[in-house]
C-alpha cells in the first residue's frame, strides 16, 4: 500500500485496534515497551502497510497531553533518535562524521518536539554540544539519569 493508504478510513481507530491486538491498553504502553525503537519501527510493527510514523507520534502526543506526560514523551523521543543515529552511544570524538550523526539525532528530535517544549529542547541541544555526555552514553529509556537532569518531569 502507499503512504496515502495509511490515511484511509479512520486511522486512529485502526491504530488503537492494533495496539490492543498486541495486548496494550495504550499506544504509550506499546511504545514504552520498545523505548529505543524508531517511530518508523513502531509504525511497521503496528501495520507496515497502513500505519505510519506520523500517526504513531500523533497518538503518543495526544496521550501524553491527556496524562500530563509531555516532558517524558520528549525525553523518550530523544532516546529513540539517539538510538537510531548513535547506536554505539555518544561519540568520544566529534569529528565530521560523528558531528553529522549527532546533528541528525538532535535535529530529528527537535523536529518531533511539541511546541511547548521546543525552547527547552534547543537549550538541551546547546548544553549537550557544549558539554558532551561521557563517551558511549546511550540512554535506554526516558528515565535515564542524565536525561532527567536535563529535562525534569515538571511540565513546561
Amino acid at each position: 500500500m502507499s503512504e496515502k493508504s495509511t490515511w484511509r478510513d479512520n486511522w486512529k481507530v485502526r491504530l488503537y485496534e492494533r495496539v490492543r491486538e498486541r495486548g496494550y491498553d495504550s499506544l504509550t504502553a506499546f511504545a514504552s515497551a520498545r523505548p529505543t525503537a524508531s517511530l518508523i519501527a513502531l509504525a511497521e510493527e503496528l501495520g507496515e502497510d497502513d500505519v505510519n510514523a506520523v500517526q504513531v507520534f500523533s497518538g503518543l502526543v495526544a496521550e501524553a497531553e491527556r496524562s500530563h506526560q509531555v516532558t517524558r514523551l520528549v525525553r523518550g523521543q530523544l532516546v529513540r533518535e539517539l538510538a537510531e543515529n548513535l547506536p554505539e552511544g555518544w561519540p568520544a570524538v566529534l569529528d565530521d562524521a560523528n558531528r553529522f550523526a549527532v546533528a541528525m539525532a538532535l535535529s530529528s528530535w527537535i523536529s518531533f518536539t511539541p511546541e511547548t517544549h521546543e525552547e527547552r529542547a534547543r537549550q538541551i541541544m546547546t548544553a549537550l554540544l557544549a558539554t558532551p555526555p561521557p563517551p558511549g552514553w546511550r540512554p535506554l529509556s526516558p528515565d535515564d539519569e542524565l536525561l532527567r537532569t536535563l529535562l525534569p518531569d515538571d511540565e513546561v
Side-chain angles (χ1 to χ4, degrees), residues 114-126:
E115 192 175 313
T116 55
H117 288 64
E118 280 179 359
E119 182 58 35
R120 185 71 183 123
R122 290 186 196 294
Q123 292 168 357
I124 290 166
M125 180 178 72
T126 300

Side-chain angles (χ1 to χ4, degrees), residues 24-145:
Y24 296 92
D25 18 344
S26 71
L27 186 54
T28 300
F30 172 79
S32 293
R34 299 148 183 81
T36 60
S38 70
L39 293 172
I40 292 171
L42 294 174
E44 287 175 349
E45 188 174 342
L46 289 171
E48 187 172 341
D49 292 333
D50 58 1
V51 174
N52 69 50
V54 172
Q55 293 166 333
V56 170
F57 193 68
S58 174
L60 289 171
V61 169
E63 288 183 9
E65 287 173 343
R66 282 193 299 274
S67 63
H68 305 287
Q69 296 284 316
V70 177
T71 301
R72 182 179 174 74
L73 170 77
V74 170
R75 284 195 316 262
Q77 189 57 35
L78 180 54
V79 169
R80 294 179 195 289
E81 297 299 338
L82 291 172
E84 183 174 3
N85 291 284
L86 302 172
E88 303 301 317
W90 197 270
V93 176
L94 277 182
D95 58 13
D96 287 345
N98 287 332
R99 188 177 305 280
F100 181 77
V102 168
M104 283 297 298
L106 296 176
S107 63
S108 294
W109 172 57
I110 286 180
S111 73
F112 279 105
T113 298
E115 192 175 313
T116 55
H117 288 64
E118 280 179 359
E119 182 58 35
R120 185 71 183 123
R122 290 186 196 294
Q123 292 168 357
I124 290 166
M125 180 178 72
T126 300
L128 286 171
L129 293 172
T131 308
W137 174 67
R138 186 175 180 259
L140 299 176
S141 83
D143 295 322
D144 177 84
E145 186 178 339

